[in-house]
Amino acid sequence: CAPDEYCDRTSKGLRDKDDATEDLFPMSIPFKSGFQVGMKLEAIDPLNLASICVATIMKVLNDGYLMISIDFYNSTPKDWFCYHCTSASIMPAGFCEAHGINLKPPQNSITPFVWKDYLVSSNSIAAPEHLFDTEVPDHGFKCGMKLECTDLMNPHLICVATIARTAGRLIEVHFDGWENDFNQWLDCCSSDIFPVGWCELVGYKLEGPIKQLAQEHRPSKHKKKKPKKNLRAPAKKVTAPPLVVHTKVPTSCYTSVDVCQ
Ligand code: MLZ
């Protein structure tokens, strides 16, 4: 049926005989997460995976999903995004500071951004730490290791990449030859990271590092910035051992786009 017809019948709770029934979706069962509307947290911006931002819970859905907005933008409900409460893409206030990561502060915030002051001035509370899945698997990823990684903004591309940083269960992936604006924070259990040689093994095209000359002439991801000539000092080539890359994602691992069970 047409999309609006579809929305109309689902909002009325009507089901079609062809619909996959709810019992087939383990993540759709009622789930009490403890997160509440208005609580503040840190979240990976799903449209700019290089950036971890001050964010607010705008809506709590009864199956454990949270509608979140980024405080930097004057967002409207259509800009909210959805993460499951167990997602590794949401972190408690203070995560970035603890790991030496630049946190994207709210717009017009006093610099340097201080969580305590912001909570007072915005008359809000931080989501308590115990609500987050802070368990860090012994993942073994280290800064400088090479891997192959899906460019989640262009998900048909799997690219040569290097681990730029690790923080808790997150890894920051840098695409070789590209500006840091293209970096992606990902869960260590993400199904979008692969060991070196994976593309060759499965017969999928691997995007190699772009040539320096080509990079200088291509528009940067964020139009105002100029492409950098030297992206980073050449990292010592260390290859991530294949064993640490999970092909079967453990039940405790969730990412923003795939909620694995
Ligand atoms: N169309 C985009 C593709 C960028 C791909 C980057 N992958 C790391 C561009 O050319 O800017």
Side-chain angles (χ1 to χ4, degrees), residues 2 12 15 31-32 47 60 69 86 90 103 105 121 132 134 136 161 180 183 195 204 207-208 211 238 249 255:
K12 287 180 185 151
R15 293 279 173 263
F31 191 106
K32 188 101 190 72
L47 296 179
V60 179
S69 80
T86 56
I90 53 171
L103 176 67
S121 67
F132 295 83
T134 46
V136 180
N180 290 342
N183 286 9
Y204 194 82
E207 306 294 323
K211 299 240 161 41
V238 195
V249 179
T255 66

Side-chain angles (χ1 to χ4, degrees), residues 2 16 30 53 62 84 90-92 95 103 116 130 132 140 162 181 191 203 205 207 224 239 242 261:
D16 192 89
C53 313
N62 71 357
H84 194 264
I90 53 171
M91 288 77 60
F95 174 89
L103 176 67
K116 207 162 143 273
H130 71 267
F132 295 83
T162 307
D181 288 344
S191 50
K205 183 175 180 280
E207 306 294 323
K224 281 176 213 143
T239 301
Q261 185 64 283

Side-chain angles (χ1 to χ4, degrees), residues 65-220:
Y65 285 93
L66 308 169
M67 299 303 295
I68 295 174
S69 80
I70 290 177
D71 290 19
F72 181 83
Y73 305 111
N74 295 319
S75 62
T76 62
K78 71 173 172 40
D79 305 309
W80 299 349
F81 52 90
C82 191
Y83 279 139
H84 194 264
C85 60
T86 56
S87 168
S89 299
I90 53 171
M91 288 77 60
F95 174 89
C96 280
E97 192 181 352
H99 290 94
I101 299 166
N102 282 337
L103 176 67
K104 188 166 189 154
Q107 199 143 176
N108 306 323
S109 75
I110 303 153
T111 42
F113 173 78
V114 178
W115 260 116
K116 207 162 143 273
D117 300 344
Y118 181 56
L119 292 173
V120 172
S121 67
S122 59
N123 192 25
S124 51
I125 59 160
E129 199 161 330
H130 71 267
L131 300 181
F132 295 83
D133 180 5
T134 46
E135 195 192 314
V136 180
D138 187 15
H139 55 69
F141 288 113
K142 300 226 165 22
C143 178
M145 285 177 169
K146 295 281 179 198
L147 72 166
E148 298 174 8
C149 180
T150 310
D151 174 349
L152 289 165
M153 296 297 130
N154 302 274
H156 59 295
L157 303 177
I158 299 183
C159 313
V160 171
T162 307
I163 296 175
R165 266 187 293 188
T166 64
R169 58 180 304 141
L170 297 181
I171 58 171
E172 186 186 20
V173 168
H174 171 78
F175 292 110
D176 290 17
W178 293 86
E179 284 184 69
N180 290 342
D181 288 344
F182 287 89
N183 286 9
Q184 295 183 163
W185 282 105
L186 292 164
D187 185 31
C188 61
C189 296
S190 168
S191 50
D192 290 301
I193 50 177
F194 312 94
V196 167
W198 188 84
C199 280
E200 193 179 353
L201 190 72
V202 301
Y204 194 82
K205 183 175 180 280
L206 175 67
E207 306 294 323
I210 56 160
K211 299 240 161 41
Q212 187 68 55
L213 194 66
Q215 168 73 0
E216 279 171 18
H217 289 96
R218 67 190 308 118
S220 95

